Amino acid sequence: MRRRRLAAAAIAGVVLVGGGSVAYAQTQSGAGSYRTATVTTGDVDETMGLSGIITASDRQDLSFGAGGTVEKVSVEAGDVVRSGSTLATLDSTDLETAVTKAEATLAKAKAQLETDKASQATTVTDSETPTAATPAKSTPTQSTPTSSTPTQSPALREALGRLATQQGAVTSAQSAATEAISASKSALAAQVEACKAAETEEPAPADGEDEGEATGLSQECSDALDAVQAAQDVVADQQDTLQTALEALSTTLTAAVEAVGESSSTRSTPSTPSAPDDADATPTTPTTPSTSGSTPSGSAGGPTVTAATLAQDQASIDTAEAQLTEAERQLKSAELTAPFAGEILSVSVVEGDVVADSDVVIVIKGDGATTVTTTVTLDQIQDVAVGQTASVTPAGAVEATGGTVSSIGLLPDASSGTSTYPVTIELAEPVAAPEGSTASISVVTGRAESVLTVPSSAVSTTIRTTVSVLVDGRPVVTPVTVGVVGATRTEITDGLTRGQEIVLADLDADLPSGDSTTTSLTGGGFPRGPGGRG
């Protein structure tokens, strides 16, 4: 069923966003009907939604969260400090070195992935370009043509596009599998802890009681066991997805290698078999690539990077990124700051002391200010920083109260089944909510002022990052670079100019089906042309 064409230039409405107005219009041209918006200048806030528990600040034992030598102690017992004040610091030389090494390892892993992708692309290019290989021998009178990159045929462009999609599927599936395995390990560790208290002798089942009711397992242990099973199911699903992606890419590479081998064999067959100059022109039989990681022969007998090698490259990147995140966290922990305003009760270290990451070095007592505690995942913690503004709405409240991120836990807590980090938000004023009540939290993780913006639903992120610009009545897919991504508006740092008309939806297109793969920065939006993040 197709939507009815709408009257030309019928204004649908005006929405106020970030201090500016954006007119959404429905436009009809000879090419079709579209819902459009205009590129405007405004402010964009990128926020992270969380939930937390309201608590009253009182006393807190402070640790660095990293081991090392105390370089400086800035307070003593009895001092009154402000929120965020530096209390003590560690010698950060070794921590800085660790970050530098982790950055180098990550850069090397990313470079290896790009090199291997390019090697696979070369194999596919050679298989689609009959004249790619040079003759095995040339006579002295022949002139050697200047090397140049051949113009890509439509078939080659299609083959390279299919290869890029399959490469992306392998790397994405590998990352998802790595994340699932990590979550499964955390769930298993949490289960072991939860079930320690339930290690009791199993009594014989009483009359009318089944065997499962007499195991002596606590509810916490039972829930933890369920969480482990669920996590392992996710691992199995992700590994199946990875295997499917590996097989698809391997099939493409196998076909390309075989095509190169056949082409090379045809070109290298001597016209006179007995000619001495052609004695070394016997073609090499190519080896079929497989997901096991073997290295087949590619063009000119060279090695072809297998699908399994690409997956290993991505696994190395994932590991290096995790190591860099941990190294950066350790470096940040070298400076111990006050999580809230209060009085220093005790200081148990002096300059030159060697401490462990969990050693309590300073105890602080708050002034009764209201705080909200929450948790963030490993992926989220990279976007959260002390000093960021937040708004907190207690359950049942109508208005939000402003606050500031005052502290971030330096050690993960895996008791919930997944590794999370505690975060404390100090409110600007007390709220009329009981201790322990829940609250919704919105943390501003990014802000851009007076920048070019478009509706977030207009941005497509499938293969490249694009928007559709209306040019002479027709949508033109245009690559763009995005900055801060808000709930409703997205910053555009390159690719558009103010006043351009962009397409939000093709009103003549079929309604999106359940198997649609087009995505936007907000995870929804209207159907658009091809494009996405590159």
Side-chain angles (χ1 to χ4, degrees):
M1 179 177 180
R2 304 179 65 86
R3 297 186 179 182
R4 180 181 299 174
R5 294 175 177 268
L6 301 177
I11 302 301
V14 177
V15 180
L16 298 179
V17 179
S21 61
V22 180
Y24 294 98
Q26 294 173 353
T27 303
Q28 184 179 24
S29 67
S33 299
Y34 308 99
R35 184 166 183 252
T36 63
T38 304
V39 181
T40 61
T41 300
D43 302 338
V44 180
D45 281 346
E46 185 170 351
T47 60
M48 179 184 298
L50 303 167
S51 60
I53 302 296
I54 296 176
T55 60
S57 300
D58 190 9
R59 166 185 166 138
Q60 189 167 334
D61 297 340
L62 305 180
S63 304
F64 277 106
T69 302
V70 178
E71 183 177 66
K72 183 179 181 181
V73 179
S74 304
V75 295
E76 58 185 22
D79 287 349
V80 177
V81 297
R82 295 180 178 179
S83 176
S85 299
T86 299
L87 307 180
T89 56
L90 293 176
D91 183 348
S92 61
T93 303
D94 292 342
L95 299 175
E96 291 171 350
T97 300
V99 170
T100 301
K101 289 182 178 180
E103 290 174 339
T105 300
L106 177 58
K108 182 178 179 180
K110 288 183 175 180
Q112 184 63 53
L113 175 62
E114 294 306 315
T115 297
D116 289 343
K117 282 184 175 180
S119 177
Q120 292 179 346
T122 298
T123 300
V124 172
T125 298
D126 290 346
S127 71
E128 296 288 340
T129 309
T131 60
T134 57
K137 294 289 183 179
S138 60
T139 62
T141 58
Q142 289 177 325
S143 59
T144 302
T146 303
S147 175
S148 61
T149 303
T151 302
Q152 290 185 352
S153 66
L156 176 57
R157 287 196 298 270
E158 180 180 356
L160 291 176
R162 182 170 58 252
L163 175 68
T165 299
Q166 292 173 342
Q167 289 174 332
V170 167
T171 55
S172 296
Q174 177 60 55
S175 292
T178 299
E179 183 178 353
I181 292 172
S182 177
S184 179
K185 290 180 179 179
S186 297
L188 182 59
Q191 177 264 316
V192 171
E193 292 297 323
C195 294
K196 278 183 178 180
E199 293 178 352
T200 60
E201 295 184 2
E202 297 184 4
D207 294 338
E209 180 183 32
D210 62 36
E211 186 174 353
E213 294 173 341
T215 59
L217 295 181
S218 66
Q219 184 63 45
E220 290 78 8
C221 178
S222 178
D223 292 343
L225 288 170
D226 291 341
V228 170
Q229 183 61 55
Q232 291 176 344
D233 290 343
V234 173
V235 170
D237 291 341
Q238 295 297 348
Q239 288 179 332
D240 288 344
T241 300
L242 174 59
Q243 183 61 30
T244 300
L246 286 170
E247 291 172 354
L249 178 56
S250 182
T251 299
T252 295
L253 294 175
T254 298
V257 169
E258 291 176 349
V260 171
E262 293 173 0
S263 178
S264 298
S265 176
T266 301
R267 288 192 297 271
S268 60
T269 301
S271 58
T272 304
S274 60
D277 287 346
D278 293 322
D280 60 350
T282 302
T284 302
T285 301
T287 304
T288 301
S290 69
T291 56
S292 64
S294 59
T295 305
S297 297
S299 59
T304 296
V305 177
T306 66
T309 301
L310 213 64
Q312 182 57 51
D313 289 344
Q314 185 60 47
S316 297
I317 291 175
D318 295 337
T319 299
E321 286 179 337
Q323 292 173 342
L324 177 57
T325 297
E326 176 61 18
E328 291 175 337
R329 185 198 66 77
Q330 293 268 347
L331 180 58
K332 288 181 180 179
S333 68
E335 181 180 46
L336 182 61
T337 59
F340 43 77
E343 178 184 357
I344 302 299
L345 296 182
S346 66
V347 178
S348 57
V349 293
V350 296
E351 296 177 5
D353 283 353
V354 177
V355 297
D357 55 5
S358 59
D359 288 346
V360 176
V361 295
I362 293 175
V363 178
I364 184 174
K365 181 180 182 302
D367 57 4
T370 302
T371 61
V372 179
T373 58
T374 185
T375 58
V376 295
T377 64
L378 179 61
D379 291 336
Q380 292 173 323
I381 197 174
Q382 303 178 56
D383 297 323
V384 180
V386 172
Q388 290 175 335
T389 59
S391 60
V392 178
T393 306
V398 177
E399 296 183 357
T401 300
T404 304
V405 176
S406 57
S407 69
I408 301 173
L410 301 175
L411 297 176
D413 177 13
S415 60
S416 62
T418 57
S419 296
T420 57
Y421 294 80
V423 174
T424 301
I425 297 172
E426 183 176 346
L427 301 185
E429 57 186 31
V431 294
E435 179 90 2
S437 59
T438 60
S440 60
I441 306 167
S442 178
V443 179
V444 178
T445 56
R447 172 168 292 173
E449 299 179 352
S450 300
V451 296
L452 288 181
T453 72
V454 299
S456 295
S457 61
V459 183
S460 173
T461 58
T462 50
I463 300 175
R464 299 175 300 163
T465 304
T466 62
V467 300
S468 293
V469 179
L470 197 64
V471 179
D472 296 330
R474 295 179 178 272
V476 176
V477 176
T478 304
V480 296
T481 303
V482 302
V484 175
V485 179
T488 58
R489 305 290 295 180
T490 293
E491 175 191 8
I492 302 297
T493 60
D494 186 50
L496 298 178
T497 58
R498 182 179 181 182
Q500 284 184 297
E501 193 173 10
I502 59 174
V503 177
L504 300 180
D506 182 352
L507 301 180
D508 290 333
D510 292 331
L511 292 175
S513 62
D515 59 355
S516 175
T517 58
T518 303
T519 59
S520 69
L521 289 180
T522 57
F526 298 93
R528 291 180 298 281
R533 188 180 304 276

